[in-house]
């Protein structure tokens, strides 16, 4: 998987993608949620996250209090110790990883805490959510990081305009 090529293509197509997504927001088709789900499933039949893991290498998820509670319990750590060891508070006052790539990313691109991973990781790249147009800016950002998000927007452009 050529991540540089995906990133280059995503940056070149940002204006086109933004225009398409903004159009969905202005006038969403009646069957949009269905098309989104169908497109998401088709994209993930082709894209294997374990071949990439770029999200885990380059972007850190936001950790909610529930995430911290669940993960620290799984690791048999006190929450305060978990936070001190792995997290920091960012400029938006969110709890995020101190360092990248993610500490929990294994050499084979699997996740050592997959069963209890943060909500943000479970939902990424957000290509299967209802009312997809509510996250247009996030989707544009994700196309630069995630080949599946790029393929999703490209496929949506074909599928919606049928």
């Amino acid at each position: 998987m050529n991540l540089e090529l995906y990133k280059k293509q995503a940056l070149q197509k940002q204006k086109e993608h933004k225009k398409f997504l903004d159009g969905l927001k202005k006038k969403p088709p009646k069957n949009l949620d269905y098309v989104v789900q169908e497109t998401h499933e088709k994209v993930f039949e082709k894209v294997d996250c374990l071949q990439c893991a770029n999200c885990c290498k380059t972007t850190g998820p936001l950790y909610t209090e529930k995430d911290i509670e669940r993960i620290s319990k799984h690791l048999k750590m006190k929450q305060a110790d978990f936070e001190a060891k792995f997290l920091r508070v960012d400029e938006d006052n969110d709890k995020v990883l101190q360092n990248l790539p993610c500490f929990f990313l294994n050499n084979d691109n699997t996740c050592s805490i997959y069963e209890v991973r943060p909500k943000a990781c479970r939902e990424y790249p957000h290509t299967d959510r209802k009312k997809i147009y509510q996250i247009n800016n996030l989707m544009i950002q994700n196309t630069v990081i995630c080949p599946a998000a790029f393929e999703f927007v490209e496929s949506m452009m074909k599928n919606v305009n049928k």
Side-chain angles (χ1 to χ4, degrees), residues 83 86-91 93-99:
E83 288 187 46
F86 300 111
L87 305 180
R88 67 178 174 84
V89 176
D90 71 4
E91 57 283 350
N93 225 17
D94 291 324
K95 291 179 180 175
V96 297
L97 290 170
Q98 288 177 15
N99 301 303

Side-chain angles (χ1 to χ4, degrees), residues 2 5 9 14 24-25 47 58-59 61 79 84 86 92 100 103 119 128 140 144 146-148 150-151 154:
N2 187 338
L5 180 65
Q9 285 180 312
Q14 267 188 335
L24 287 183
K25 189 173 196 163
V47 178
T58 63
T59 57
Q79 288 182 35
F86 300 111
D92 297 325
L100 292 170
F103 178 83
K119 181 177 188 268
D128 63 348
I140 294 292
V144 179
C146 174
F150 177 81
E151 291 292 341
E154 287 287 298

Side-chain angles (χ1 to χ4, degrees), residues 49-61:
C49 295
L50 294 178
Q51 297 298 310
C52 178
N54 196 41
C55 51
C56 308
K57 294 171 185 170
T58 63
T59 57

Side-chain angles (χ1 to χ4, degrees), residues 5-6 9-11 13 17 127 139 142-144 146-155:
L5 180 65
Y6 270 107
Q9 285 180 312
L11 290 169
K13 291 196 163 205
H17 287 170
T127 52
M139 189 59 67
N142 290 348
T143 61
V144 179
C146 174
F150 177 81
E151 291 292 341
F152 172 81
V153 175
E154 287 287 298
S155 296

